[in-house]
Amino acid sequence: MKAIKKLDHTRCPWCGVPYDEIPEQPHDYLKENGFGIDGKPCKSCGKWGRYYPDMETIVFFAFYMILLPLHIPSIVSIFGFLIISLLFVGKTPYYRHPDFGKYLTPEEPKLCTVTIHWYSLRDGGIGFPRFRIYNHIIFPICFVNRNDQPVTHTGCVRLCKRWFIFFKGARLRLITDRIDPHKIREGMKFYIFNQGIRMGEGIVKTYLYCKR
C-alpha cells in the first residue's frame, strides 16, 4: 500500500512561489505594520500575504468540540481527530495583503469554472484529496490541447471549491501571469501538479476571465 504523499508548501498569493525557508518576522514588527502573527513576506516578490481561518476547519473543530462533552467512545474521538489532522496537513492558504495596510487588495481575476478528477495514490495522487486540500489553496497547473501538448506555461491558480469536501467542481482564480488566459477555451483539459508530479486533471466548463 502506497503512503499518503506530502503536499507542496503553502504558496505566495502574488507570485506563486512556495513559502518554505522564509524567515519568520518578529511579532512586534508584524503588529507595527498592520499584521498579526499570520502575516508573511515572500522572499521572491517581496509582497505580503496573510492567512484567514478556513470555514471547513471551523466547522470540523466546532463539531469535534461539541462531541467531546458527550463522552463518545474513544475510537470515534480518534477518528474525528484524524479527520481534523488531515485537514491541517493541507496547509492554510494565504491571501493577498498590501504592504503596510489593514485591508485585503481586490481578489485575483476569475479565470474559469472547472470539473476536477483527483488521481488515486496508485496513479500519482496525494491520498484523501477532498479532506486534505483546503478551499482556496494555490496549485500549479498547465493547460493542454487535444494531443496532450501544453498550450500555456505552468502557472499558479487559486482553487475555490464549490461544495465543501464533496466537490468535483471548482472555480479557478489567476495568480501568476505565466498562464495566458486568452489561450484558454471551454472544454480544454489541464493538469494539476504537486511537487512536480501530476496529482489530478480537470476540464474547463465556463470561461470567466475579465482583466481588472
Side-chain angles (χ1 to χ4, degrees):
M1 181 177 179
K2 292 190 176 182
I4 295 175
K5 295 180 181 178
K6 182 180 178 181
L7 281 170
D8 272 338
H9 290 279
T10 305
R11 293 175 177 271
C12 170
W14 296 93
C15 66
V17 171
Y19 267 142
D20 60 316
E21 301 179 1
I22 295 178
E24 296 293 335
Q25 294 289 341
H27 178 60
D28 290 343
Y29 174 82
L30 296 172
K31 188 174 181 180
E32 290 172 2
N33 293 287
F35 295 88
I37 59 174
D38 50 1
K40 182 171 287 190
C42 176
K43 65 180 180 181
S44 178
C45 68
K47 294 182 179 180
W48 285 81
R50 67 183 301 174
Y51 71 84
Y52 290 86
D54 186 89
M55 185 55 65
E56 294 175 13
T57 306
I58 294 173
V59 170
F60 270 94
F61 263 112
F63 180 72
Y64 187 63
M65 294 306 292
I66 291 173
L67 292 180
L68 282 179
L70 300 180
H71 304 290
I72 56 177
S74 58
I75 186 66
V76 178
S77 298
I78 293 173
F79 181 72
F81 180 77
L82 287 175
I83 291 178
I84 294 172
S85 299
L86 282 172
L87 280 171
F88 272 100
V89 173
K91 303 180 184 297
T92 305
Y94 278 71
Y95 298 86
R96 294 180 176 182
H97 197 289
D99 282 345
F100 294 102
K102 298 182 179 180
Y103 302 99
L104 289 171
T105 57
E107 295 179 328
E108 305 96 355
K110 297 175 183 177
L111 185 60
C112 55
T113 61
V114 299
T115 55
I116 297 175
H117 167 65
W118 300 105
Y119 294 162
S120 64
L121 278 172
R122 180 182 300 177
D123 295 329
I126 61 171
F128 302 103
R130 288 177 173 79
F131 284 102
R132 298 181 61 200
I133 295 176
Y134 268 96
N135 197 15
H136 295 176
I137 197 168
I138 297 173
F139 274 122
I141 68 171
C142 179
F143 290 88
V144 297
N145 60 21
R146 293 181 179 178
N147 297 320
D148 222 28
Q149 297 176 334
V151 295
T152 68
H153 293 288
T154 300
C156 289
V157 298
R158 188 183 299 281
L159 189 154
C160 304
K161 299 191 290 186
R162 297 185 61 188
W163 299 108
F164 198 36
I165 62 174
F166 304 105
F167 78 102
K168 287 188 177 180
R171 177 178 294 171
L172 303 185
R173 291 184 177 275
L174 193 61
I175 297 294
T176 63
D177 58 6
R178 290 183 57 80
I179 297 176
D180 183 353
H182 301 293
K183 292 183 177 181
I184 298 172
R185 301 289 184 269
E186 294 181 359
M188 185 173 282
K189 183 178 179 181
F190 63 91
Y191 291 110
I192 308 171
F193 297 92
N194 178 63
Q195 298 185 349
I197 300 173
R198 294 178 184 177
M199 62 175 288
E201 62 186 61
I203 299 293
V204 177
K205 290 184 62 179
T206 308
Y207 182 73
L208 301 173
Y209 180 75
C210 180
K211 188 173 182 180
R212 292 178 181 275

